[in-house]
Amino acid sequence: MKAIIWFTNNLRTLDHPLLHKACKEATTVEAFYCYDPSLFEEDLKGVVKIGPYRKKFLIESLLDLQEQLERLHIPLHIIVGKPEKEIPTLIENIGATDLFYQKNWHDEERQTEKAVRQNLNKQISYHSAYDQFLITPSELPFEVSELPRVFTVFRKQIEKQCSIAAPLPIPKAIDQNIKTKVSKEWETISKEVASIKNDPRTAFPFKGGSQAGLDRINSYFWDTDQVAVYKKTRNGMIGTSYSTKFSPWLANGSVSARTIYQMLKQYEIERTSNESTYWVFFELLWREFFKYVGLKHGNLLFKSGGILKKEFAQGQDTNLFLKWKEGNTSNSFINAHMKELSKTGWMSNRGRQNVASYWSKTLGQDWRRGAAYFESMLLDYDVDSNWGNWMYTSGVGNDPRDRIFDPNRQAKMYDPNGTFQKKWLQESLF
Ligand SMILES: Cc1cc2nc3c(=O)[nH]c(=O)nc-3n(C[C@H](O)[C@H](O)[C@H](O)COP(=O)(O)OP(=O)(O)OC[C@H]3O[C@@H](n4cnc5c(N)ncnc54)[C@H](O)[C@@H]3O)c2cc1C
């Protein structure tokens, strides 16, 4: 077997079931990632799918993956172009017999997979598996179609009936000597990272890649014991310590949720197990829940009425959108968060809930426009978490209470001295 592994948002070697299988069964293994430049440019509607911060994080993650795979003697070829065109050519050039890739459940990705298969002029074998879950669909205690609408019901069933598999170790190096093909385009793109600078005020000053992700887990757990006070700090908005900051590595798969879970359990055994350590698991279950909401409901995630198929305000005021996006609304708490997002690609969970509720409920605008802006800007953009949380906050998703956030009240509670607002609004005060 001449195996080829197509990396997407599973950019790691630790806990990678498909890599494991390929290393075990194949005589040669090569890997590739398809970097589609159109995702980083404005489309016909002027929207950029992947903005500058996630682009930088992604490139750092790919360079790190290249190093990880080199240690296993596996070349990672990074191809610049459209997958449906580039992948069949690569497979044919290499003479691969087997393609390994992560199973996806959203239309865009599935259409790409389909086009890759259709454009291939030779017969090969396909191997795919789900690679983003703590508990895979076959381990669930119910059918995906029976997923409860309310998170608490889901969480209780998982906690009672499921156990979480241990992560797979990094496979052993294989006996082969194949050089990585480096194209001129990729060389140029990978150097662009240096020109994207971090704002010194950012709450997320970290690099992309598994190594940086594992360093962050070690620091948050073992060096600082921050995890033991997570429940008290998690509503914070300033600095690196108030929450785990694991989401960008989880989103592009450079660290798996099972790896985090295993390290959390280890910490509980060796240091302390309390309400805060449990709460990190609780939050990982939110991520899991939204993945299943996406798997169950597919394209309803992107419809105005959401999974509830509900009538919803669909304001399309472009002037209001620009004000919200640039942090020029009449509310300074909202503005500070939106400035933070546009300058860093990061925003706390508290901030996200407030600005989303403000856009969709207070201003009565089409929530999907806000979600698409988040998609472009967030370092940790994840299709299910983003669109699921937006539906939830906009009243067309899984929130049984359909709350509306009062940003003035929220500012009094979470930024009583205005420190966060001053941090981000300073320049507009002068
Ligand atoms: C409107 C809106 C959009 C969002 N978009 C995204 C997104 O694109 N990608 C994303 O990863 N998260 C998204 N979230 C969820 C949440 O805000 C982030 O996961 C969290 O702020 C990331 O910071 P952290 O890693 O420090 O989280 P922590 O508070 O430390 O939580 C630990 C982990 O639990 C998971 N988690 C926590 N809260 C949630 C949640 N509400 N939903 C899903 N997973 C959660 C994340 O994987 C996170 O890394 C969104 C929330 C809202 C309200």
Side-chain angles (χ1 to χ4, degrees):
M1 178 198 292
K2 256 186 139 181
I4 181 150
I5 306 174
W6 176 9
F7 278 87
T8 48
N9 55 356
N10 51 356
L11 305 177
R12 59 179 186 270
T13 54
L14 175 62
D15 196 26
H16 197 302
L18 289 165
L19 175 68
H20 240 267
K21 188 165 187 274
C23 287
K24 214 166 161 190
E25 295 175 9
T27 36
T28 64
V29 182
E30 296 184 52
F32 71 94
Y33 181 89
C34 204
Y35 184 97
D36 180 354
S38 69
L39 300 177
F40 305 86
E41 293 155 8
E42 278 189 8
D43 65 12
L44 293 172
K45 292 186 197 150
V47 178
V48 179
K49 278 240 171 188
I50 305 184
Y53 309 111
R54 194 155 83 257
K55 173 179 172 175
K56 178 169 186 271
F57 196 80
L58 172 66
I59 295 173
E60 288 166 350
S61 306
L62 289 169
L63 294 172
D64 177 87
L65 179 64
Q66 216 155 26
E67 270 181 44
Q68 291 178 58
L69 286 167
E70 242 165 53
R71 280 180 231 134
L72 308 182
H73 306 158
I74 298 173
L76 174 68
H77 315 298
I78 300 171
I79 315 163
V80 179
K82 291 244 171 255
E84 52 275 30
K85 179 167 173 282
E86 303 298 332
I87 298 172
T89 313
L90 181 89
I91 291 176
E92 281 159 30
N93 288 348
I94 284 178
T97 59
D98 291 66
L99 176 67
F100 291 73
Y101 64 96
Q102 178 179 218
K103 207 178 230 173
N104 228 303
W105 53 93
H106 287 294
D107 249 16
E108 263 178 38
E109 289 80 0
R110 286 174 56 181
Q111 289 303 333
T112 307
E113 272 167 40
K114 204 168 147 200
V116 166
R117 285 177 183 235
Q118 275 168 352
N119 293 347
L120 250 177
N121 289 323
K122 66 180 274 211
Q123 283 279 338
I124 61 163
S125 303
Y126 298 94
H127 310 257
S128 67
Y130 290 113
D131 211 3
Q132 302 177 28
F133 294 97
L134 269 177
I135 302 125
T136 57
S138 60
E139 295 164 334
L140 279 183
F142 45 77
E143 292 299 318
V144 174
S145 58
E146 302 299 318
L147 177 77
R149 190 163 83 78
V150 176
F151 169 71
T152 310
V153 181
F154 167 81
R155 176 180 61 78
K156 287 189 175 155
Q157 290 197 34
I158 298 290
E159 286 180 345
K160 216 171 172 181
Q161 297 179 53
C162 294
S163 57
I164 292 164
L168 287 170
I170 297 174
K172 286 200 182 80
I174 56 175
D175 190 11
Q176 63 176 22
N177 184 6
I178 311 172
K179 292 265 166 296
T180 307
K181 297 185 187 79
V182 186
S183 69
K184 283 252 164 338
E185 293 113 298
W186 171 246
E187 253 183 301
T188 313
I189 291 165
S190 60
K191 284 186 188 132
E192 284 170 21
V193 165
S195 65
I196 306 168
K197 300 275 181 243
N198 271 348
D199 186 303
R201 295 169 290 181
T202 186
F204 191 91
F206 310 107
K207 271 179 72 168
S210 296
Q211 190 52 54
L214 296 173
D215 289 349
R216 170 63 185 169
I217 302 173
N218 276 324
S219 153
Y220 192 78
F221 287 5
W222 303 101
D223 300 344
T224 63
D225 289 301
Q226 273 300 130
V227 63
V229 290
Y230 169 76
K231 190 141 188 272
K232 296 194 185 79
T233 60
R234 75 197 169 98
N235 280 310
M237 295 175 299
I238 300 178
T240 55
S241 317
Y242 66 80
S243 65
T244 66
K245 310 289 191 300
F246 295 160
S247 54
W249 292 287
L250 281 166
N252 74 15
S254 41
V255 173
S256 79
R258 281 189 297 242
T259 298
I260 295 175
Y261 179 76
Q262 189 190 48
M263 288 168 124
L264 184 65
K265 287 286 131 190
Q266 198 60 32
Y267 181 90
E268 288 183 331
I269 293 167
E270 290 183 30
R271 291 263 167 99
T272 186
S273 167
N274 62 20
E275 223 189 349
S276 284
T277 56
Y278 165 72
W279 218 261
V280 171
F281 173 56
F282 179 98
E283 296 296 350
L284 287 175
L285 287 182
W286 266 111
R287 173 182 177 273
E288 199 74 3
F289 178 61
F290 282 123
K291 293 227 160 279
Y292 280 112
V293 170
L295 184 54
K296 175 176 173 183
H297 295 286
N299 281 343
L300 284 183
L301 254 71
F302 314 111
K303 301 271 186 247
S304 165
I307 60 168
L308 300 185
K309 302 184 183 162
K310 202 170 146 185
E311 281 294 305
F312 183 76
Q314 296 196 35
Q316 298 293 344
D317 187 329
T318 296
N319 200 24
L320 265 187
F321 177 66
L322 290 177
K323 285 188 172 161
W324 175 76
K325 172 177 138 167
E326 286 158 12
N328 286 323
T329 71
S330 57
N331 188 286
S332 60
F333 191 58
I334 298 297
N335 294 345
H337 285 294
M338 295 308 287
K339 292 226 185 272
E340 180 189 27
L341 178 63
S342 73
K343 291 193 184 305
T344 65
W346 184 260
M347 194 192 291
S348 65
N349 185 52
R350 181 62 36 196
R352 296 181 202 202
Q353 289 175 312
N354 271 282
V355 303
S357 161
Y358 188 79
W359 172 251
S360 61
K361 290 186 170 159
T362 309
L363 299 178
Q365 296 297 302
D366 187 341
W367 65 272
R368 295 169 304 169
R369 210 168 175 185
Y373 179 63
F374 265 40
E375 170 167 353
S376 170
M377 294 307 294
L378 280 177
L379 269 166
D380 63 10
Y381 170 71
D382 170 280
V383 55
D384 304 296
S385 288
N386 188 57
W387 293 82
N389 271 290
W390 266 95
M391 282 196 303
Y392 188 96
T393 313
S394 307
V396 295
N398 307 79
D399 184 2
R401 287 176 290 174
D402 196 5
R403 280 162 289 183
I404 176 158
F405 284 78
D406 171 353
N408 293 324
R409 192 161 163 265
Q410 292 272 315
K412 277 197 193 110
M413 283 167 73
Y414 298 107
D415 189 27
N417 303 318
T419 319
F420 177 77
Q421 290 162 80
K422 282 189 206 114
K423 198 177 176 73
W424 292 102
L425 300 177
Q426 253 166 5
E427 63 228 77
S428 47
L429 292 177
F430 300 104

